[in-house]
Amino acid sequence: MQTQTASEFDVAKVRADFPILTQTVNGKPLVYLDNAATSHKPQCVIDTINHFYAAHNSNVHRGVHYLSQLATRELEGARDIVKKFLNAASDKEVIFTKGTTDGINLVAQSYGRKFIKEGEEIIISALEHHANIVPWQMLCEQVGAVLRVIPINDDGELLMEEYEKLLNPKTKFVSVNYVSNALGTINPVKRIIELAHAQDVPVLIDGAQSAPHLKVDVRELDCDFYAFSGHKVCGPTGIGILYGKQHLLEQMPPVQGGGDMIKVVTFEKTTYNDLPYKFEAGTPHIEGGIGLGRAIQYLESVGLDNIAAYEHELLEYATELIGGIPGVRIIGTAKDKASVLSFLINDIHPHDIGTILDQEGIAIRAGHHCAQPVMQRFNVPSTARASFAFYNTKEEIDALANAIHTVIEVFG
Ligand code: C6P
């Protein structure tokens, strides 16, 4: 598929796929700018889930009967779609999880507990979401490891020379996000991975905010693990993906025991199932997985490169328009950014900003965005955050700018 220029991108056509976008909120057309929290679902994903329950509902991997085989084929078909989406080498490397948080916890508790020992070090960054901080802190408490943090500059960019200094023979794992949810910074993950690999250190990429916006090829990136959430890529909630290199996953113990993850169980000993099922204990989120597969097909039909180009133009437009309003301060001014505009207006509390925007039908997020250390770094308790998707328009950004003027008027 040839990449469209942003002006060629047919946003009206795309918007027609999302039934929720036609509604009004507080008497105004909905302007949904909270896509980093969760994205909306196109009709094809909603239809796929409905159809599963209406026609195919059954448990998977267990039954010899028709419906069970159908459901199994659909779920495994979705795994294959994800495999191709990520360019993973094998379906064995694609594990269904509950979401990004679940995937990171799995790696911390499985790889971490087995391979990281007292006094050894784990590197994360100052840009992380709590989901990529707390699981490592928990692991550190359990095994006596030490957490090290790559600092950031005032634009919200990682200080790569500090990262290089942090890497040392005690480093046993690196875990960083590709795109910061609080600031939108796109991190130089390829370089981060190269530097870690030069010291034989594996790297997990938190892809929660990159999967919806950037084309990712895990083999080209050479990451060891990549975690993302279905609900941020136009798919259902409660489902996500953990990609892991097969040779690492093979060495890792399961974290949860139960049905589906075993081959033989006796009271004396249990042998575990092959990948990826070893990490998928219990009945999976079947319609979630199938819905996620459909969502990825949908994103691919729009084209990840088209999405990235169009969203880049939206972000540039918003940065200039909103950043130019007297009293507005943008937090996060990295050179390389995706889809997030975090801002403050004078000393108005972001919750007040969010409430007034809501009255205008505009949905943004106000708060610490589950990234409190980022807020601490900028010495602010919270920010207002507008986050864009490929179904947003410049007119919606104009509406945001107008509503910000209203906020300023209300608070004098
Ligand atoms: N960020 C936001 O509004 P889950 O909740 O598991 O789907 O995703 C967690 C997560 C992990 N890493 C990053 C970079 C994220 O942005 C998120 C989710 C949402 O910014 C909800 S807090």
Side-chain angles (χ1 to χ4, degrees):
M1 184 190 290
Q2 244 198 334
T3 307
Q4 294 159 327
T5 63
S7 52
E8 283 166 357
F9 187 77
D10 192 347
V11 68
K13 181 167 174 282
V14 160
R15 285 179 72 82
D17 295 330
F18 291 83
I20 204 168
L21 295 179
T22 56
Q23 68 183 286
T24 53
V25 169
N26 293 323
K28 310 274 167 54
L30 168 67
V31 174
Y32 185 80
L33 300 176
D34 194 17
N35 295 287
T38 200
S39 63
H40 287 312
K41 321 303 170 200
Q43 189 64 50
C44 62
V45 170
I46 299 167
D47 289 346
T48 297
I49 295 167
N50 276 341
H51 188 67
F52 173 76
Y53 279 122
H56 298 169
N57 178 48
S58 198
N59 211 328
V60 289
H61 305 143
R62 288 159 171 82
V64 290
H65 62 80
Y66 172 77
L67 284 182
S68 175
Q69 289 184 7
L70 202 59
T72 303
R73 245 195 336 267
E74 279 189 275
L75 183 65
E76 292 308 319
R79 196 191 306 275
D80 199 53
I81 292 169
V82 178
K83 181 199 109 177
K84 291 185 179 119
F85 176 65
L86 296 176
N87 193 28
S90 152
D91 285 9
K92 291 178 192 295
E93 299 184 322
V94 177
I95 298 161
F96 284 118
T97 62
K98 288 191 288 179
T100 309
T101 306
D102 195 34
I104 297 172
N105 276 278
L106 192 163
V107 176
Q109 287 303 306
S110 174
Y111 184 93
R113 282 188 100 150
K114 180 158 179 192
F115 292 110
I116 302 176
K117 307 265 174 314
E118 189 173 352
E120 294 182 334
E121 298 180 3
I122 299 157
I123 298 180
I124 59 169
S125 89
L127 279 177
E128 301 310 319
H129 183 281
H130 298 161
N132 200 24
I133 302 173
V134 185
W136 302 111
Q137 284 176 327
M138 289 163 64
L139 175 70
C140 286
E141 273 179 30
Q142 289 157 350
V143 303
V146 181
L147 198 62
R148 310 296 300 272
V149 182
I150 312 167
I152 53 175
N153 64 19
D154 290 341
D155 290 319
E157 295 167 321
L158 296 184
L159 296 174
M160 289 297 283
E161 55 295 356
E162 296 300 320
Y163 170 56
E164 290 192 46
K165 283 189 220 154
L166 284 176
L167 277 167
N168 76 83
K170 282 193 273 181
T171 311
K172 293 297 162 201
F173 205 85
V174 174
S175 190
V176 290
N177 63 37
Y178 197 154
V179 175
S180 152
N181 70 313
L183 306 182
T185 311
I186 301 178
N187 290 314
V189 286
K190 191 147 173 64
R191 183 76 187 129
I192 289 172
I193 293 165
E194 274 166 12
L195 288 165
H197 283 180
Q199 307 209 16
D200 280 334
V201 175
V203 181
L204 181 149
I205 301 298
D206 169 350
Q209 299 295 344
S210 48
H213 308 294
L214 305 173
K215 200 172 186 163
V216 167
D217 177 331
V218 290
R219 278 193 276 177
E220 204 261 322
L221 214 50
D222 202 22
C223 55
D224 300 280
F225 301 97
Y226 184 81
F228 70 96
S229 302
H231 70 97
K232 295 192 204 281
V233 292
C234 300
T237 51
I239 188 82
I241 296 294
L242 175 68
Y243 158 83
K245 283 183 180 165
Q246 188 174 340
H247 76 99
L248 293 174
L249 293 173
E250 298 280 12
Q251 298 172 61
M252 289 162 50
V255 176
Q256 289 199 324
D260 237 18
M261 53 75 72
I262 53 88
K263 273 188 178 155
V264 182
V265 178
T266 67
F267 286 120
E268 288 68 43
K269 186 172 168 53
T270 290
T271 47
Y272 302 135
N273 207 342
D274 297 328
L275 290 173
Y277 310 111
K278 180 172 81 171
F279 292 108
E280 294 179 355
T283 299
H285 184 3
I286 304 168
E287 80 283 13
I290 295 168
L292 173 57
R294 188 69 191 89
I296 287 174
Q297 282 180 327
Y298 174 79
L299 284 186
E300 286 178 328
S301 73
V302 179
L304 260 294
D305 288 336
N306 296 331
I307 288 173
Y310 177 70
E311 288 179 349
H312 185 70
E313 189 171 307
L314 284 185
L315 182 66
E316 286 203 325
Y317 183 75
T319 304
E320 208 177 309
L321 187 66
I322 313 281
I325 300 174
V328 169
R329 176 181 159 210
I330 293 175
I331 308 287
T333 46
K335 279 187 276 310
D336 215 4
K337 278 185 67 172
S339 282
V340 168
L341 194 71
S342 248
F343 60 94
L344 296 168
I345 310 174
N346 298 321
D347 55 0
I348 304 168
H349 196 286
H351 283 147
D352 291 330
I353 301 173
T355 306
I356 293 183
L357 295 191
D358 182 54
Q359 285 163 12
E360 301 294 320
I362 301 173
I364 59 151
R365 186 169 171 187
H368 52 60
H369 316 300
C370 300
Q372 287 181 8
V374 176
M375 301 297 119
Q376 288 150 16
R377 168 63 178 75
F378 286 91
N379 212 11
V380 295
S382 57
T383 69
R385 183 190 70 180
S387 52
F388 310 107
F390 56 94
Y391 44 69
N392 288 127
T393 63
K394 287 188 179 166
E395 290 71 32
E396 290 181 313
I397 293 168
D398 293 340
L400 173 65
N402 289 339
I404 287 175
H405 284 293
T406 307
V407 172
I408 292 169
E409 270 164 39
V410 169
F411 284 90

